Amino acid sequence: MEKDFYVLGIESSCDETAAAIIKNGTEIVSNVVASQIESHKRFGGVVPEIASRHHVENVTLVIEEALTKAGLQPTDLDAVCVTEGPGLVGALLIGINAAKAFAFAHQLPLIGTHHIAGHIYANHLVQPMEFPLLALVVSGGHTELVLMKEHGSFELIGETRDDAAGEAYDKVARVLNISYPGGPKIDQMAHESDGAVNFPRVWLEADSYDFSFSGLKSAVINYQHNVIQRGEEVNPHHVAKGFQDSVVEVLTAKTLRAAKEYQVKQVIAAGGVAANKGLRASLEKVFKEEGIPFYVPPLPLCTDNAAMIAAAGTEMFKSGVRSDWSLNGRPGMELVSWNRK
């Protein structure tokens, strides 16, 4: 019988300090996340310097806790994976240097991992991937459609031209005086609403799989200003519902069209906005009607975590990918295939 394979993952790209241990690439043994939401809430968003300081305070603690919860020693591990990018450069460097120190001290292979690849591979922790597959990645900084023909193969077929979906949620939340993080609260308000403002849908060119949410954000701002100027009261629930309906309809329609065109065997959603109840329900409904298998991770695996980094890193390790001690933070890192056969 083959020996079980254990990988330590470390994630620090933004405002979550996380460490996890994955067994054989698909089984979560431990998954520890130290959130910074309360520290950033009063600023209305993530402050990079504060995030970095918290990572310094927490990174050793979360690694130790991940090992303790797993009941493992460093000598039981086979590799260390860490988010190389994209993200806040200061935050990335904390995790990377912790991973390098740990890997060097225990003579373990080191693997720099792409944050978005991690989000995609969060699905691999709950459901085997079947290729070709289409991944809809929706987060605070990314809105992308990614075609995968095999493990480690990423073809970007659509992306946002301006604001990402999560970014638009946060900006609209500020307009509605909703405290950070605004996305989950807008989702909740949309579900509680008994009406909706009719905001535009931005489709771009007829054959395009790209997205644009900046105009929608501006439409929300203009609507609110016009209502106030008329001396009327803005119904924030109706605004939240109208905004979310527009975002969800465009994301769903373009994902469905791409899935049909590329004849994929599976569609997955990934990223923090994949936790949105309205989006999950819409995608589940249309793909069930079309008979195309659709999967989305449980909520804790949608937001930033280290289990997803370890899952992607395990596949990289199996493909022969290794990093050397010059590994550095890459805030603008592009999603590039590691499997180029």
Side-chain angles (χ1 to χ4, degrees):
M1 183 179 295
E2 291 186 5
K3 172 186 175 295
D4 287 326
F5 189 85
Y6 292 97
V7 169
L8 169 67
I10 299 172
E11 153 65 21
S12 67
S13 64
C14 190
D15 62 338
E16 313 283 11
T17 317
I21 295 175
I22 300 300
K23 176 182 174 182
N24 299 331
T26 57
E27 182 181 337
I28 300 175
V29 184
S30 64
N31 191 19
V32 180
V33 179
S35 175
Q36 302 180 14
I37 286 178
E38 292 304 316
S39 295
H40 298 283
K41 185 178 289 185
R42 66 183 184 275
F43 301 107
V46 177
V47 180
E49 177 63 23
I50 293 175
S52 297
R53 289 176 182 270
H54 280 308
H55 288 312
V56 171
E57 295 168 356
N58 292 329
V59 67
T60 302
L61 297 175
V62 297
I63 293 171
E64 290 176 349
E65 186 174 348
L67 284 165
T68 299
K69 286 188 172 182
L72 298 174
Q73 299 296 322
T75 51
D76 297 316
L77 301 176
D78 296 279
V80 179
C81 307
V82 62
T83 304
E84 183 179 357
L88 303 173
V89 65
L92 289 168
L93 287 172
I94 306 303
I96 288 170
N97 282 295
K100 287 164 78 170
F102 189 97
F104 182 82
H106 301 288
Q107 293 299 292
L108 294 170
L110 175 69
I111 303 164
T113 306
H114 195 284
H115 183 74
I116 297 304
H119 274 303
I120 291 172
Y121 272 86
N123 286 273
H124 198 48
L125 295 168
V126 293
Q127 179 70 31
M129 289 179 165
E130 292 188 41
F131 304 102
L133 69 76
L134 181 69
L136 171 66
V137 181
V138 272
S139 67
H142 300 267
T143 305
E144 300 166 346
L145 281 170
V146 181
L147 179 67
M148 295 183 65
K149 296 180 180 178
E150 60 182 335
H151 281 297
S153 169
F154 306 101
E155 180 184 345
L156 188 65
I157 63 172
E159 61 185 330
T160 185
R161 296 185 183 179
D162 40 59
D163 290 350
E167 185 180 3
Y169 266 91
D170 287 339
K171 290 179 178 178
V172 168
R174 283 197 287 271
V175 171
L176 297 176
N177 293 316
I178 298 171
S179 62
Y180 173 86
K185 293 172 185 174
I186 288 181
D187 185 25
Q188 179 182 349
M189 290 168 64
H191 276 77
E192 296 170 350
S193 180
D194 59 359
V197 179
N198 184 23
F199 290 118
R201 276 64 167 157
V202 181
W203 300 107
L204 302 174
E205 301 83 6
D207 61 345
S208 175
Y209 289 119
D210 284 350
F211 302 96
S212 172
F213 296 109
S214 180
L216 173 60
K217 170 203 66 184
S218 298
V220 173
I221 294 171
N222 291 336
Y223 170 82
Q224 174 142 318
H225 287 168
N226 290 336
V227 171
I228 292 172
Q229 287 169 0
R230 292 196 302 266
E232 300 172 3
E233 187 174 339
V234 174
N235 186 319
H237 284 75
H238 289 181
V239 174
K241 179 78 163 67
F243 167 76
Q244 176 151 301
D245 285 351
S246 177
V247 173
V248 167
E249 183 178 338
V250 172
L251 290 173
T252 302
K254 293 207 172 195
T255 305
L256 177 60
R257 181 160 59 86
K260 289 180 175 180
E261 178 177 338
Y262 290 95
Q263 299 181 328
V264 298
K265 293 181 179 179
Q266 189 182 78
V267 175
I268 61 177
V273 183
N276 182 284
K277 290 184 291 185
L279 178 60
R280 292 167 81 98
S282 176
L283 291 168
E284 287 169 357
K285 179 177 183 294
V286 298
F287 286 111
K288 183 178 181 180
E289 291 172 351
E290 292 293 333
I292 301 173
F294 169 75
Y295 303 100
V296 59
L299 302 186
L301 293 179
C302 288
T303 52
D304 289 353
N305 65 89
M308 68 184 197
I309 299 302
T314 299
E315 289 300 324
M316 296 176 74
F317 184 91
K318 288 161 64 175
S319 296
V321 179
R322 305 288 186 275
S323 300
D324 59 30
W325 303 120
S326 66
L327 181 67
N328 203 355
R330 298 169 59 191
M333 185 179 181
E334 294 184 1
L335 182 61
V336 176
S337 299
W338 68 70
N339 191 341
R340 304 190 182 204
K341 293 186 293 182

